[in-house]
Amino acid sequence: MMFELPLDQVRTLLAVVDEGTFDAAAGVLQLTPSAVSQRVKALEQRTGRVLLMRTKPVRPTESGEVVVRFARQLSRLERDARTALGMAGPDGPTPLSIAVNSDSLATWFLPALGRVPEELDLCYELRREDQDHTATLLREGLVMAAVTSSPEAVTGCSVRGLGRMRYLPVASPGFADRWLERRAGTALRELIGDAPVIGFDRRDDLQDAFVRGLGLGPRASARRHLVPTSEGFVNAVAAGMGWGMVPEVQAEPLLGDGRLVRLVPDDAPGRSVVVPLYWQQWKLDSPALAAVADAVAAEAAEALDGDRPD
């Protein structure tokens, strides 16, 4: 049996996954598409596994994810070794891929990256994904680190708590008066089931979680607008399109100037939905990853709510 994984074949597989097609990978590697295809096939023959699903874009199989993680980790270690040896790398700044949820990206995460020492010369590839799904990108080997809501470490990764992100149920004053009879004293749970609601995308469960907390069934209203950016989401709520769960840090200034109102009093039970956040990264002795992790943890300690989750 052949136990070695030829590095040229491993790097070729990674290029195909990153670029999405054999042709695009050929351009990056300065090879012909036929040569790229032959290398991938040879690696599949050597491992005895199908490593790629030939879709557009291509996607790694479960076995392919293992090889992709290995290739990306190998590249990371090689760059760190060159830096430690004082060798000029041919690829310029060091790329670092991170998965992060939209609300963190819009509030505290970019200031965290601003804490990373400039002399590390990093270039970030940020992949925006819901916090409940960022761990999937780690598992597939597509990113090196992620902000996630899962405390369960992905295989080959370490995990540390960051803090809790608090979301408040809010709406514009006009919307609250029209749909929720804010000043009439009617119980919110009797009205909110039919009121238009804003969601981030089809996987956004925050609004539904709030409604479930009121004991009203599994989902909020079928009158649902989907606005897939954090800033657009807040603007849609402030414009009166519907109610929504807005991060406290984004809601506070709008509550202060009267553009938003709380749907639940600040001291009432169930006034918010709290999402714990964690940092997961590959278990590599990498100075770059360690510096980013420390910067993220430091910013999170100042920006997120309460103590770090266990």
Side-chain angles (χ1 to χ4, degrees):
M1 295 182 63
M2 297 179 290
F3 295 105
E4 294 182 355
L5 295 177
L7 298 186
D8 61 338
Q9 296 175 9
V10 168
R11 288 169 174 146
T12 298
L13 180 75
L14 177 60
V16 173
V17 170
D18 281 347
E19 299 302 322
T21 68
F22 285 80
D23 288 346
V28 170
L29 297 172
Q30 298 184 332
L31 297 171
T32 66
S34 175
V36 170
S37 179
Q38 289 173 13
R39 285 188 181 183
V40 173
K41 287 180 180 178
L43 186 59
E44 289 179 325
Q45 290 172 353
R46 180 175 287 268
T47 59
R49 311 281 180 89
V50 175
L51 301 177
L52 287 180
M53 293 182 282
R54 269 67 169 180
T55 54
K56 287 189 177 181
V58 300
R59 290 191 62 83
T61 63
E62 186 174 347
S63 297
E65 291 170 2
V66 174
V67 180
V68 167
R69 284 198 301 271
F70 168 66
R72 212 177 295 280
Q73 291 169 355
L74 182 67
S75 176
R76 174 74 268 160
L77 291 172
E78 183 180 17
R79 287 174 179 273
D80 287 341
R82 284 204 307 262
T83 299
L85 292 170
M87 298 170 62
D91 302 322
T94 301
L96 196 64
S97 53
I98 304 172
V100 58
N101 61 305
S102 182
D103 291 332
S104 292
L105 191 59
T107 53
W108 65 273
F109 191 77
L110 293 181
L113 297 185
R115 292 173 177 255
V116 179
E118 291 185 5
E119 56 267 25
L120 290 176
D121 197 17
L122 301 179
C123 284
Y124 302 102
E125 179 186 358
L126 302 182
R127 301 282 295 266
R128 188 178 62 186
E129 181 58 272
D130 183 86
Q131 65 271 3
D132 293 337
H133 301 277
T134 49
T136 301
L137 298 180
L138 267 177
R139 190 173 299 109
E140 293 176 352
L142 298 178
V143 297
M144 304 175 194
V147 175
T148 174
S149 61
S150 174
E152 302 297 327
V154 172
T155 301
C157 293
S158 61
V159 59
R160 66 197 289 186
L162 293 176
R164 295 173 172 85
M165 200 159 194
R166 186 176 300 277
Y167 292 79
L168 304 180
V170 294
S172 70
F175 178 92
D177 287 337
R178 177 185 176 190
W179 286 95
L180 304 175
E181 300 181 18
R182 184 167 57 96
R183 297 171 182 164
T186 307
L188 177 68
R189 66 185 312 276
E190 298 176 19
L191 300 166
I192 200 168
D194 195 45
V197 62
I198 310 292
F200 186 84
D201 57 25
R202 294 185 183 277
R203 295 190 296 191
D204 180 7
D205 187 57
L206 285 173
Q207 288 67 225
D208 298 328
F210 174 71
V211 168
R212 288 196 296 271
L214 297 176
L216 295 178
R219 287 177 61 80
S221 172
R223 292 189 173 99
R224 186 176 300 240
H225 305 290
L226 301 181
V227 184
T229 69
S230 184
E231 297 86 349
F233 183 99
V234 176
N235 290 337
V237 174
M241 292 175 60
W243 69 274
M245 304 298 297
V246 173
E248 188 171 33
V249 66
Q250 289 177 300
E252 283 180 340
L254 301 179
L255 290 167
D257 64 19
R259 283 183 287 170
L260 291 179
V261 294
R262 296 175 184 268
L263 302 188
V264 177
D266 188 39
D267 57 352
R271 72 178 183 90
S272 62
V273 171
V274 176
V275 176
L277 294 178
Y278 302 85
W279 175 257
Q280 293 207 38
Q281 69 175 59
W282 291 345
K283 290 180 180 178
L284 290 181
D285 185 15
S286 167
L289 270 176
V292 172
D294 289 343
V296 168
E299 185 68 27
E302 296 179 8
L304 298 181
D305 184 65
D307 297 329
R308 296 180 182 181
D310 297 330

